[in-house]
Amino acid sequence: MTPFQYARANDVADAIKQIATDPSAKFIAGGTNLIDLIKYDVEEPTRLIDISHLPLRSIEQTSTGGVLIGAMVPNTDLAYHPIIEQRYPLLARAIMSGASQQLRNMASTGGNLLQRTRCFYFYDTATPCNKREPGSGCSAIDGINRINAVLGTSQACIATHPSDMCVALAALEATVHVAGPAGARTIAFADFHRLPGNTPQRDTNLEPDEIITAIELPPKGFSANYSYLKIRDRLSYAFALVSVAAALELDGDTIKEARLALGGVAHKPWRSSAAEAALLGQRAEATAFARAADWLLHGAKGYGHNDFKIGLARRAIVRTLGQAARGTPQSLSDKKIR
Amino acid sequence: MASYIGSATSRVDGRPKVTGEARYAGEFNVPGLVHGYVIESTIPKGRIVRIDTSGALGVDGVIDVLTHQSRPPMADKDNAYKDEVAPEEGSPYRPLYDDRILFTGQPVALVLAEDWETARVAASMVKVEYQKEPHVTDLHAERSRAFAIDAPEKPRGDAAKAFASAAVRHAAEYFIPTEHHNPMELFASTAIWEDGRLTVYDKTQGVQNVQKYLCGVFKMKPDEVRVMSPYMGGGFGAGLRPQYQVVLAVLGASALKRPVRVMLTRAQMYALGYRPASIERLALGASSGGTLESVQHEAIAVTSQFEEFARNDTGWGNLLYRSPNAKFEHRLVKLDLPTSCDMRAPGAATGVYALECAMDELAIALKTDPVQLRLQCYSERHQGEDVPYTSKQLRECYRQGAAEFGWDRRNAEPRSMREGSELVGWGMASGVWEALQMPATVRIVLTANGHAEVATAASDIGTGTYTIMAQVAADMLGLPIDSISVKLGDSTLPQCPLEGGSWIASSVCNAIANTARAVRGDLLELAKEMKDSPLAGVGVDDVALIDGKIASKRDATRAVPIASAMQSGNAERITREEANKVDEDKSHARNVHSAIFAEVKVDEELGVIRVTRVVNAVAAGRILNPKTAHSQVMGGVVWGIGMALHEETLFDHHFGRVMNANIAEYHVPVNADIHDIKVIFVEEPDEIVNPLGIKGLGEIGIVGVAAAIANAVYHATGKRVRDLPITLDKVIQFE
């Protein structure tokens, strides 16, 4: 562990100013991941800038019919917010699938996007890891990789992004609002997280001196036909082996619009426009779902222990699309998968 | 007065525990306390070349960094390090002793600072340079190096020949991975020097074991060392042997002449002991009528390079099933790891898992109901010793467990039962453990105000020892339970063995009975000396202590209040110390038994497993407290579910490291994984096992549970998974 100084940011401008003057500083909000990483000597900030008091805690309807979620809204508050429960239940279910009640109470919306991989080697400073120490090598490729990625991997890194919330945000095509020294900008959710390539140390396209201020949801919430299915090694409080966010707009039993995103399989929530296009105009039934699954998993590659994820994902996609089409989303309390 | 024994008494230590009044080893604060942070080896094998402590010593608040070169003196003979439960063969690990690295996570330095955070920060500045040597940590890769030990039970007949000629045969290998105890409470020790004497607050299941060990390691006299462990947040076997942090705390306190606390992190606890990974090979041969002709059980388990730890994995078939021919083998593989150790039901949790899965497979081969097969093979005598049991109500466990579960509605055909998307499976297994007693001494101090203090050096590791001792003492002394206080966890108290092996309840409660009898004798003498004593001419076994009186058993009107007897004799207190009588009689086998029935529901496409019902019917002699007993067995079932579906310490054998050394990634069941658990205690009066008929419950709850679940998964899916844990990718071949 490295000693660090602690400072509180008064407002967004102050936060940006503080982070810009100190390249080894880090923002801290809920700290549900960062504090662990500091204890493991994985993150070594010399200064923590506390942004948890910034006035970014509102959830508001936008003039265009969407919803703007402040970056400091705790995960729990977001999941239980009436607008989210009613109009974006896919997001509510995804959030409630993650972590534990205590962690969700602490974790912020913005911080959820920035949580780091759970790859075993990333956390263990006695082993090489390109994400932690660029150029040192990837221990997971030939190591214990049951939890690692099967899509969008590189020679340098097979880590996954661990979030559940982000899988739903990807499917809903949210927009990330950020602010930095050069002003505010927005990043489409699909462009926010990166694939590892040769720079696995960079999880996102957020610049080091930028801060997430809000997440914007577009008007469409797919509240009639959606499901979030998370498959894991125990029935709660475990990261996804594979998770699926599915959202459909149906005309009778014909698919008018489809959204499909996978968690637990890649360095970012995994989507494929071809997979979603393959569903358009199709009858909402298993053969169409299986074709979409094939598209979504195109190019998937296992590394030994995690080979099963490809077949598991294929079946989970079909199942989740079925739940969405029937209007019977996966229950969180009853762990039976219907 | 109602009897406390057998009543569902709430824990007498419940209130201090939930209010935080109960203090644990890492919570004893004394002025000037120094905090130690352990630096562990990052390599599994080799030597320390150099330790650069200069950076750490420069940190404000750091007092010292101890290494093998700078530590105070320690004993240099193996014997000094052999604690009560050290394996017979080998050289115990010596913490911070020399430059040799024996396993990853071994302590190589101790940073001592004014506060824990400073020590932790400074620890990351200590640079350790190693000279690596090739290491081995993989049991499967090294199994050809396995060597036999002579622990197993003796062979009978010609098991190989009988197997070869058996009408129906089943042979298979089962695997249980390395598992860690993961008690909630972190291991910690606080060492305090005072006037040349050492007091240590330690997380341990045996204060006197640690006390003797420290006397050996630091060459001190018994009256110079006192070890305390009043409460423990879970031990499960991890606290049987003295753990390294207690040595480091004493080294630190000796070096600085100040009190020192060393608390381990969760990750560091993965370099303590563990349940050894084991490969279990079963070969069962049966007649076409479904009786066993041959039982062969071979275990290959992990130990360290420097000690040979082994428990009875293979002999359980001798207790459960009749067979004229049997053969048992236990082999060890030495790996560059810490020494494996006891973990709840050591040997049985693993060995009975394999045996009971194999019996299920044999039942399928015989087309016989699994309960029926067990009844056909039921043994009324210990097969190895050829002696009867003091009591064995296992048949009744099968009967009551099956009835409660509804076993008769089972369709034997795999994949025949389903509910929507889920396949339903029903499986069962037997459980067995030993009913042991060890020598223990209990002191009772009865004061004239009607209060009694009951004391022994046992630790209550969370099982309810405080409570059952208070119950038994209250009944034996004829006092209300509120008038009893129980003192435990202090090495200066009367002798008591480690809290392990399920032997504490039988040992200390029978000792209470003997001590109470002595107290009763003293009271009777006092009562007889009273003028016109109604108890004149009555013997000690003709009176009882009831409702605060000493009274004739035959004529309750002949009674003297305890307080009056003591006052008239001018006795302010009566102090007595007696031991239990440990029967060396070999004419009976002493065991507890259980039958476990489990229901699983498995998603047919995705392989997600839910354990929706478990019934565990236990025959374990006299149940002292149905409430704590129920919790004890329920906890065992939960752990068995974890063993079946979740638990596995993941090693990267290239680095020789544990990769999931935290409870986010080392999975144990969470609430969502636990549904209905029904615990049944089958009546089992036993006047032979010990005077009070107590058998102990610590281990039996977990034994057989994983097998029942594995058998249920097979019944549900038709897929036999023999390697634990049963994860969804083992149930379904995903393409």
Side-chain angles (χ1 to χ4, degrees):
Chain A
M1 216 170 99
T2 314
F4 53 83
Q5 297 198 313
Y6 170 87
R8 204 180 257 201
N10 298 320
D11 52 38
V12 172
D14 182 36
I16 295 166
K17 202 175 107 196
Q18 286 198 45
I19 200 112
T21 55
D22 189 348
S24 67
K26 279 217 168 278
F27 290 133
I28 185 163
T32 54
N33 189 203
L34 181 58
I35 288 174
D36 280 352
L37 292 166
I38 291 172
K39 287 181 177 174
Y40 282 113
D41 290 325
V42 174
E43 298 272 15
E44 299 182 304
T46 55
R47 189 179 171 81
L48 287 183
I49 303 164
D50 185 353
I51 55 171
S52 63
H53 299 273
L54 297 186
L56 301 171
R57 285 185 172 249
S58 64
I59 298 173
E60 290 164 8
Q61 313 232 29
T62 63
S63 55
T64 52
V67 174
L68 195 66
I69 304 157
M72 288 306 121
V73 173
N75 286 183
T76 304
D77 292 5
L78 181 57
Y80 285 123
H81 195 279
I83 297 176
I84 304 300
E85 280 189 327
Q86 285 154 30
R87 289 181 50 198
Y88 304 95
L90 175 64
L91 177 58
R93 299 277 176 114
I95 292 169
M96 295 303 288
S97 301
S100 64
Q101 187 68 43
Q102 293 91 331
L103 286 165
R104 293 190 296 263
N105 289 344
M106 287 299 292
S108 69
T109 302
N112 192 309
L113 272 60
L114 299 177
Q115 61 183 305
R116 308 211 65 188
T117 185
R118 309 304 296 203
C119 177
F120 299 144
Y121 298 92
F122 179 67
Y123 280 78
D124 186 346
T125 56
T127 62
C129 168
N130 285 323
K131 183 181 279 297
R132 177 167 33 77
E133 203 181 326
S136 61
C138 173
S139 304
I141 286 181
D142 293 317
I144 305 292
N145 55 37
R146 188 166 186 277
I147 64 170
N148 289 78
V150 293
L151 284 159
T153 55
S154 72
Q155 287 295 323
C157 183
I158 59 169
T160 63
H161 192 259
S163 171
D164 290 297
M165 184 179 95
C166 289
V167 182
L169 290 175
L172 292 169
E173 297 191 340
T175 306
V176 186
H177 290 239
V178 306
R185 65 176 179 129
T186 58
I187 307 172
F189 206 85
D191 300 330
F192 186 80
H193 294 100
R194 297 161 58 96
L195 288 179
N198 289 320
T199 55
Q201 67 274 22
R202 286 203 66 186
D203 292 351
T204 72
N205 286 315
L206 188 73
E207 296 299 329
D209 55 3
E210 286 184 314
I211 183 172
I212 300 172
T213 55
I215 308 293
E216 185 174 350
L217 298 175
K220 206 171 234 178
F222 300 91
S223 59
N225 294 96
Y226 73 94
S227 187
Y228 187 77
L229 179 61
K230 181 177 183 179
I231 310 294
R232 45 189 154 180
D233 276 329
R234 62 182 167 193
L235 297 174
S236 183
Y237 196 46
F239 293 96
L241 294 168
V242 168
S243 70
V244 187
L248 298 172
E249 191 183 340
L250 299 175
D251 181 1
D253 60 358
T254 304
I255 299 168
K256 279 180 66 189
E257 190 170 359
R259 302 282 180 79
L260 198 51
L262 294 182
V265 295
H267 204 253
K268 60 189 290 188
W270 193 257
R271 283 182 70 194
S272 148
S273 50
E276 291 169 19
L279 288 166
L280 296 186
Q282 303 295 310
R283 279 174 52 123
E285 41 99 47
T287 48
F289 301 157
R291 264 200 309 279
D294 286 341
W295 278 109
L296 190 55
L297 294 168
H298 182 71
K301 171 181 175 350
Y303 290 85
H305 300 140
N306 68 352
D307 293 349
F308 73 96
K309 280 191 176 187
I310 302 167
L312 173 63
R314 181 174 288 114
R315 293 184 184 194
I317 292 164
V318 173
R319 194 72 166 269
T320 316
L321 281 165
Q323 292 178 329
R326 291 194 306 272
T328 54
Q330 177 60 38
S331 165
L332 292 170
S333 52
D334 179 2
K335 302 293 179 180
K336 177 171 181 170
I337 302 165
R338 287 169 202 278
Chain B
M1 186 173 2
S3 170
Y4 289 104
I5 294 176
S7 75
T9 306
S10 292
R11 285 172 192 268
V12 297
D13 53 342
R15 185 183 168 87
K17 278 187 171 169
V18 299
T19 56
E21 190 188 308
R23 282 198 291 170
Y24 293 78
E27 298 182 325
F28 289 87
N29 293 320
V30 286
L33 183 67
V34 175
H35 297 259
Y37 190 88
V38 176
I39 298 170
E40 325 106 84
S41 164
T42 55
I43 66 160
K45 191 176 188 181
R47 286 186 184 275
I48 301 166
V49 175
R50 198 170 293 109
I51 303 181
D52 178 1
T53 60
S54 55
L57 288 169
V59 175
D60 198 23
V62 171
I63 305 161
D64 202 356
V65 179
L66 293 187
T67 68
H68 64 281
Q69 291 166 317
S70 65
R71 61 163 173 80
M74 296 163 74
D76 57 4
K77 297 281 190 299
D78 271 346
N79 257 354
Y81 296 84
K82 286 230 176 194
D83 68 281
E84 261 179 57
V85 279
E88 275 177 37
E89 297 296 322
S91 304
Y93 169 64
R94 305 175 185 184
L96 226 57
Y97 188 77
D98 58 19
D99 64 347
R100 183 155 278 288
I101 299 298
L102 300 171
F103 52 87
T104 299
Q106 170 184 329
V108 295
L110 179 72
V111 180
L112 295 160
E114 299 291 348
D115 60 78
W116 201 76
E117 288 72 19
T118 302
R120 186 171 198 164
V121 165
S124 60
M125 298 176 191
V126 173
K127 304 279 175 267
V128 186
E129 204 179 305
Y130 301 97
Q131 187 186 335
K132 285 190 199 175
E133 293 168 20
H135 68 267
V136 287
T137 56
D138 186 354
L139 170 62
H140 296 295
E142 302 299 318
R143 73 182 283 181
S144 63
R145 288 177 43 239
F147 61 96
I149 55 169
D150 28 334
E153 305 212 8
K154 290 181 184 55
R156 290 195 315 280
D158 188 336
K161 197 175 154 196
F163 178 76
S165 61
V168 180
R169 286 176 290 182
H170 165 71
E173 262 185 26
Y174 302 82
F175 177 68
I176 302 96
T178 298
E179 298 168 355
H180 276 82
H181 310 71
N182 280 305
M184 284 296 286
E185 181 198 6
L186 300 172
F187 271 85
S189 305
T190 308
I192 304 159
W193 279 106
E194 233 169 356
D195 306 327
R197 287 165 195 269
L198 180 68
T199 300
V200 179
Y201 294 95
D202 188 32
K203 176 185 170 86
T204 176
Q205 293 172 244
V207 283
Q208 291 179 331
N209 186 30
V210 173
Q211 192 261 359
K212 276 179 229 146
Y213 172 81
L214 291 177
C215 285
V217 171
F218 294 103
K219 297 180 180 169
M220 289 190 287
K221 298 194 186 77
D223 64 350
E224 292 173 337
V225 185
R226 181 181 189 186
V227 177
M228 316 267 277
S229 180
Y231 294 102
M232 200 175 182
F236 315 119
L240 287 172
R241 299 188 69 182
Q243 294 298 0
Y244 74 71
Q245 88 288 339
V246 72
V247 172
L248 299 195
V250 175
L251 282 173
S254 302
L256 302 187
K257 309 289 176 223
R258 285 177 64 178
V260 169
R261 174 189 300 157
V262 177
M263 189 186 290
L264 302 188
T265 63
R266 176 66 56 186
Q268 286 168 345
M269 282 167 49
Y270 285 77
L272 305 178
Y274 52 91
R275 192 195 293 285
S278 68
I279 299 165
E280 310 257 347
R281 183 172 172 75
L282 260 296
L284 303 176
S287 68
S288 53
T291 53
L292 279 166
E293 300 289 339
S294 175
V295 173
Q296 294 177 83
H297 190 162
E298 177 194 356
I300 307 175
V302 171
T303 190
S304 65
Q305 298 283 8
F306 48 93
E307 283 179 308
E308 295 178 16
F309 172 84
R311 287 289 179 256
N312 171 23
D313 270 63
T314 60
W316 303 102
N318 259 351
L319 292 161
L320 288 170
Y321 304 119
R322 215 172 52 242
S323 172
N325 301 286
K327 193 179 166 203
F328 309 98
E329 278 182 273
H330 195 117
R331 296 193 285 157
L332 292 178
V333 173
K334 290 190 168 188
L335 299 177
D336 295 301
L337 296 171
T339 304
S340 43
C341 75
D342 290 311
M343 183 162 138
R344 202 171 198 174
T350 45
V352 174
Y353 159 70
L355 173 66
E356 287 300 285
C357 287
M359 283 296 282
D360 196 66
E361 298 199 58
L362 182 67
I364 291 157
L366 283 161
K367 298 186 169 58
T368 301
D369 176 81
V371 177
Q372 182 57 35
L373 176 64
R374 284 162 175 86
L375 291 172
Q376 283 166 205
C377 300
Y378 197 88
S379 73
E380 298 289 359
R381 297 174 78 79
H382 183 301
Q383 299 291 290
E385 308 296 332
D386 195 24
V387 292
Y389 297 88
T390 60
S391 59
K392 181 175 179 177
Q393 289 297 319
L394 177 57
R395 263 203 194 88
E396 198 53 22
C397 294
Y398 292 134
R399 194 188 68 74
Q400 291 187 27
E404 173 66 32
F405 189 83
W407 185 257
D408 59 349
R409 297 193 302 276
R410 180 177 185 261
N411 181 335
E413 189 62 28
R415 300 181 70 88
S416 63
M417 295 163 59
R418 65 167 67 227
E419 279 177 14
S421 52
E422 288 179 323
L423 297 164
V424 179
W426 289 2
M428 62 80 58
S430 321
V432 56
W433 185 251
E434 297 168 308
L436 298 168
Q437 221 196 143
M438 302 288 269
T441 305
V442 166
R443 183 176 68 215
I444 293 177
V445 180
L446 177 67
T447 38
N449 63 1
H451 178 269
E453 183 189 270
V454 182
T456 185
S459 299
D460 185 336
I461 63 174
T463 49
T465 306
Y466 278 110
T467 308
I468 56 159
M469 285 182 66
Q471 289 175 259
V472 173
D475 276 3
M476 299 288 168
L477 297 171
L479 296 173
I481 198 165
D482 294 344
S483 298
I484 308 288
S485 55
V486 179
K487 270 179 83 171
L488 302 174
D490 179 343
S491 63
T492 63
L493 294 175
Q495 174 276 330
C496 194
L498 296 154
E499 178 121 1
S502 303
W503 58 55
I504 280 291
S506 62
S507 306
V508 300
C509 292
N510 282 294
I512 290 172
N514 289 351
T515 313
R517 185 178 180 279
V519 169
R520 197 168 76 224
D522 288 354
L523 281 170
L524 181 61
E525 289 310 312
L526 293 171
K528 282 178 176 175
E529 283 166 20
M530 291 171 77
K531 197 167 171 255
D532 303 325
S533 174
L535 294 171
V538 175
V540 67
D541 290 319
D542 299 323
V543 290
L545 302 178
I546 301 165
D547 291 340
K549 290 182 207 135
I550 179 163
S552 161
K553 283 185 194 169
R554 282 190 218 146
D555 179 1
T557 61
R558 293 176 67 187
V560 174
I562 291 172
S564 309
M566 290 181 74
Q567 275 154 19
S568 91
N570 261 337
E572 267 182 44
R573 64 188 63 224
I574 294 171
T575 302
R576 279 295 200 148
E577 211 172 289
E578 296 291 336
N580 57 333
K581 182 171 169 291
V582 178
D583 205 337
E584 299 294 335
D585 176 18
K586 300 278 185 217
S587 64
H588 288 83
R590 299 148 191 275
N591 292 92
V592 293
H593 300 89
S594 65
I596 306 100
F597 296 81
E599 174 183 87
V600 301
K601 295 185 178 172
V602 184
D603 189 275
E604 188 175 8
E605 289 175 351
L606 302 170
V608 174
I609 302 169
R610 303 188 301 132
V611 179
T612 44
R613 283 195 299 144
V614 178
V615 174
N616 195 348
V618 178
R622 183 198 290 262
I623 301 304
L624 292 164
N625 182 333
K627 191 171 178 179
T628 53
H630 179 269
S631 295
Q632 182 81 313
V633 174
M634 190 165 61
V637 171
V638 171
W639 202 338
I641 292 171
M643 181 180 174
L645 304 183
H646 305 127
E647 288 199 51
E648 180 173 21
T649 304
L650 294 167
F651 288 93
D652 183 311
H653 297 301
H654 173 70
F655 297 110
R657 298 179 67 75
V658 174
M659 295 314 300
N660 59 342
N662 59 73
I663 47 177
E665 301 294 352
Y666 181 104
H667 286 176
V668 298
V670 295
N671 283 332
D673 296 295
I674 304 304
H675 294 262
D676 294 344
I677 298 173
K678 171 91 179 174
V679 178
I680 296 169
F681 290 111
V682 170
E683 288 276 325
E684 192 178 61
D686 189 330
E687 290 176 0
I688 306 171
V689 68
N690 53 59
L692 292 181
I694 301 166
K695 285 187 164 183
L697 274 173
E699 335 278 332
I700 189 67
I702 188 176
V703 183
V705 176
I709 292 167
N711 295 340
V713 169
Y714 171 80
H715 180 239
T717 65
K719 170 81 178 175
R720 177 63 65 174
V721 180
R722 301 187 181 97
D723 294 357
L724 296 182
I726 306 170
T727 50
L728 52 83
D729 50 318
K730 292 179 187 169
V731 174
I732 291 181
Q733 186 72 41
F734 291 105
E735 306 268 328

